Amino acid sequence: MHSAIEPIALIESPYKQKFAIPRQPRLIEEATARCVFLPNFNREEFVRGLEEFSHIWLIFQFHETIDKGWSPLVRPPRLGGNEKKGVFATRATHRPNGLGMSAVKLDKVNYERGQLWLDLTGIDLLDGTPIIDIKPYLPYSDSLPNATAGFADTRPETELEVSFSQSALTQCNHYQNTYPNLQQFIVNVLKQDPRPAYKKNRSGVQDYAMTLYDLNIRWQVIGRENKVTEISAIDSDTL
Ligand code: SAH
């Protein structure tokens, strides 16, 4: 086997830490990203014809967790963290060889001032993720409407309600000049309830924080059986 795998590109993503990243692509359409080609692959001809495709496959390395090893059994989050399945029966990040795959929307192929990059939406990737390969998505073969998927058969839904405090809303409106769909983006990220399974049944107020783009976003899960989330503050790192 030819073992020298060399990344071809790096992802620039609004998701700066693993917490709160959607667990599959296209669950959150507002997540925009760039796939920026590395010097050895920074050639327009390498992507000639790619702009004809609406979606592409990204093969990537789970670089943040690759050194943490893997286990034969994992607890898929959608089973509430209570049940174990074999690593190859899941899309877990901790796996032998640490490779992931995501079908994402290709918005634009760009080449400017000597740099090649792709604009993407609906990604589920951490900032800095190394891309190992890119392939066009082929609907006639890759789309399987009759496929069944056992414990992961439907899109995950939660009952979480998401609201903004008055001051967070003002801050959000301000930052929307830079990040146009910010409010809907935040709502959709929180609606998927990123809390770890073991915290979901806790009572009382729970405080959380996450970073999207360069923004620190703080929120609380409050009352009514932990089904209400309120965003309390949005601050920029760079101001
Ligand atoms: N669609 C891919 C990824 C599924 S796992 C696949 O099926 O192979 C998705 C999770 O991977 C995200 O929720 C995020 O927490 C994690 N993740 C994304 N990019 C990562 C990276 N570069 N390193 C480690 N974990 C990452």
Side-chain angles (χ1 to χ4, degrees):
M1 193 175 99
H2 178 61
S3 59
I5 286 182
E6 180 186 356
I8 60 166
L10 295 180
I11 289 290
E12 286 178 12
S13 158
Y15 301 118
K16 308 297 180 190
Q17 82 254 110
K18 277 185 57 195
F19 180 55
I21 304 182
R23 299 216 166 91
Q24 286 304 333
R26 288 170 297 107
L27 292 174
I28 300 184
E29 300 291 342
E30 292 80 12
T32 59
R34 286 181 166 193
C35 176
V36 182
F37 287 76
L38 288 163
N40 283 348
F41 300 91
N42 188 27
R43 295 248 302 269
E44 236 184 331
E45 62 185 306
F46 290 1
V47 295
R48 187 186 296 163
L50 191 64
E51 73 287 350
E52 295 171 31
F53 294 87
S54 64
H55 292 77
I56 57 174
W57 282 107
L58 299 175
I59 317 292
F60 60 92
Q61 189 189 47
F62 289 114
H63 74 302
E64 183 105 332
T65 46
I66 191 92
D67 294 331
K68 306 222 168 89
W70 61 282
S71 22
L73 292 169
V74 299
R75 298 170 191 270
R78 57 192 302 143
L79 295 175
N82 303 323
E83 224 183 298
K84 289 184 176 175
K85 300 282 179 187
V87 64
F88 298 128
T90 76
R91 305 289 280 258
T93 56
H94 297 77
R95 55 200 309 119
N97 298 317
L99 292 183
M101 51 189 271
S102 295
V104 302
K105 184 158 181 292
L106 173 61
D107 288 326
K108 196 161 185 272
V109 178
N110 307 274
Y111 188 78
E112 266 175 39
R113 276 176 255 129
Q115 181 61 58
L116 179 65
W117 81 92
L118 311 177
D119 288 325
L120 308 173
T121 41
I123 56 138
D124 57 346
L125 305 179
L126 189 65
D127 192 40
T129 297
I131 301 299
I132 306 299
D133 205 354
I134 295 172
K135 303 188 187 197
Y137 177 86
L138 299 181
Y140 76 82
S141 174
D142 294 345
S143 163
L144 307 163
N146 299 324
T148 54
F151 68 87
D153 208 30
T154 53
R155 188 191 158 100
E157 301 290 352
T158 70
E159 294 165 26
L160 220 58
E161 283 170 39
V162 180
S163 61
F164 287 72
S165 72
Q166 196 51 50
S167 61
L169 199 56
T170 308
Q171 290 161 327
C172 188
N173 286 334
H174 170 68
Y175 292 119
Q176 289 213 125
N177 297 329
T178 316
Y179 308 114
N181 296 319
L182 183 63
Q183 188 173 353
Q184 195 57 47
F185 185 25
I186 295 172
V187 168
N188 286 345
V189 168
L190 292 191
K191 260 200 172 152
Q192 44 158 11
D193 199 351
R195 290 177 293 163
Y198 72 92
K199 286 199 173 162
K200 288 190 182 166
N201 296 320
R202 292 206 174 160
S203 56
V205 176
Q206 303 167 23
D207 290 300
Y208 293 93
M210 65 176 173
T211 308
L212 296 176
Y213 302 107
D214 63 338
L215 303 173
N216 297 318
I217 297 160
R218 278 177 283 148
W219 79 92
Q220 295 186 323
V221 180
I222 41 182
R224 272 192 272 154
E225 297 173 350
N226 274 326
K227 294 278 185 283
V228 182
T229 284
E230 185 176 272
I231 294 132
S232 50
I234 303 173
D235 308 294
S236 171
D237 275 346
T238 53
L239 290 184

